[in-house]
């Protein structure tokens, strides 16, 4: 195997996903380099969550090939991937501390010291019950769960949806500071382009289940002569 | 610190310019330690890979030097400041001339307008 192959964290070719009659992904070809923070952008229903779920190994594509770190995905990949789902998957009756201990039990790569540190920087009280947390606090707790793992691939599905600006700023700061340069790859789907723009190396614009644009953020900005936020307006006009 | 994401200029080069401007304005002096890569990324929320490129570029241009285990410093070279100052002045003037030419104004008139404006500002003190 050549070194080029292993440089790519993710390789997708002709990936399609159909839900009964609806085509969610209509043929995705992507090669994502190791060590980058990738923005996955697109309007509702463009296939962002489906793509992330396929990468997380939660659903299978209808057709097409996927390679993660040079191998076809199987159960052992869960050890290499941290996934933050868009839905609320936490139990209300647990406290924040109990939630983190519960999640820690599933993973050998869990970093308890990092979780404790993130709890501080994200301003969360470990003794509070999850059901009493605000939406922004629950979003931060979900992020702590994803970022406390020591894994090469982190998938974050809409970590900012319905979150107030100060929570967003805290989340972005944590992602940037916890990012292990050179070792980790983060793929993050979002609608909040303006705030997350500074942290992206590469950006994917999805449209109707296929890739409309995929390039480095710098290249996109220089070829369109404007920010990603403004490119969004042009792409989805 | 203000990065312009609408500018065609790559973010890492904008970060290099920021350091140069801080140096010319005297906010940084030759020999000063600058924030670590990680600190800079956190301050600006900018991708650490981009910050790394900016730091590599500064080193390549001879603006900074990294001392193993101590951090990154502005090169302690008095000539450096003069060089950057004239380089930035040059860029600003070229930009100005380009704008004026874009308005169809020729050299002689540019000179006159510039002189008039400067003497006006001098009088206004």
């Amino acid at each position: 195997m050549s070194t080029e192959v292993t440089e790519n964290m993710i390789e997708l070719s002709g990936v399609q996903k159909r839900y009964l009659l609806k085509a969610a992904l209509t043929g995705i070809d992507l090669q994502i380099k190791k060590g980058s923070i990738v923005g996955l952008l697109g309007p509702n229903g463009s296939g962002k969550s489906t793509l992330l779920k396929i990468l997380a190994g939660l659903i299978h594509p209808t057709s097409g090939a996927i390679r993660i770190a040079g191998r076809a995905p199987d159960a052992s990949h869960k050890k290499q991937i941290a996934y933050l789902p868009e839905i609320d998957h936490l139990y209300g009756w647990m406290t924040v501390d109990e939630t983190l201990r519960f999640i820690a039990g599933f993973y050998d790569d869990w970093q308890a010291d990092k979780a404790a540190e993130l709890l501080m920087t994200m301003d969360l009280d470990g003794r509070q019950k999850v059901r009493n947390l605000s939406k922004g606090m629950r979003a931060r707790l979900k992020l702590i769960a994803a970022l406390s793992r020591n894994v090469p691939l982190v998938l974050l599905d809409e970590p900012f949806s319905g979150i107030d600006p100060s929570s967003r700023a805290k989340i972005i700061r944590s992602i940037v500071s916890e990012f292990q340069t050179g070792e980790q790859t983060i793929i993050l789907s979002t609608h909040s382009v303006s705030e997350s723009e500074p942290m992206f190396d590469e950006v994917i614009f999805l449209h109707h289940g296929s890739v409309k644009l995929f390039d480095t953020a710098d290249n996109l900005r220089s070829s369109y002569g404007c920010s990603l936020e403004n490119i969004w307006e042009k792409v989805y006009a | 610190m203000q990065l312009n994401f609408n500018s065609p200029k790559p973010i890492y080069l904008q970060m290099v310019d920021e350091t140069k401007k801080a140096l010319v304005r005297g906010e940084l002096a030759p020999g000063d330690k600058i924030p670590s890569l990680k600190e800079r990324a956190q301050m600006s929320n900018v991708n650490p890979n981009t910050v790394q490129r900016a730091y590599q570029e500064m080193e390549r241009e001879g603006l900074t030097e990294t001392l193993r285990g101590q951090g990154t410093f502005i090169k302690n070279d008095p000539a450096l400041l003069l060089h950057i100052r004239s380089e930035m002045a040059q860029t600003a003037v070229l930009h100005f001339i380009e704008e004026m030419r874009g308005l169809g104004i020729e050299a002689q008139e540019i000179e006159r307008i510039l002189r008039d404006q400067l003497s006006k500002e001098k009088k206004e003190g």
Side-chain angles (χ1 to χ4, degrees), chain B residues 9 13-26 61 63 80-96:
Chain B
K9 189 164 200 166
L13 288 180
Q14 290 187 37
M15 296 186 101
V16 174
D17 280 354
E18 275 174 359
T19 307
K20 286 181 180 170
K21 276 182 195 152
L23 193 58
V24 170
R25 283 195 299 255
E61 289 185 21
L63 181 63
L80 177 73
L81 189 59
L82 290 172
H83 172 72
I84 289 172
R85 195 163 173 273
S86 69
E87 182 195 274
M88 296 201 82
Q90 186 72 21
T91 313
V93 156
L94 285 176
H95 188 70
F96 165 72

Side-chain angles (χ1 to χ4, degrees), chain A residues 7-62:
Chain A
E7 289 270 315
N8 282 333
M9 188 67 214
I10 291 165
E11 293 176 45
L12 298 179
S13 58
V15 168
Q16 299 192 13
K17 178 68 186 175
R18 260 191 309 276
Y19 294 115
L20 289 175
L21 295 174
K22 192 186 177 302
L25 298 178
T26 56
I28 304 263
D29 297 288
L30 265 186
Q31 294 184 329
I32 293 173
K33 283 198 297 285
K34 197 171 160 184
S36 44
I37 300 182
V38 183
L40 180 58
L41 310 180
N44 292 327
S46 57
K48 302 187 298 290
S49 292
T50 302
L51 182 57
L52 287 175
K53 278 181 197 155
I54 284 179
L55 292 174
L58 294 174
I59 55 176
H60 293 289
T62 311

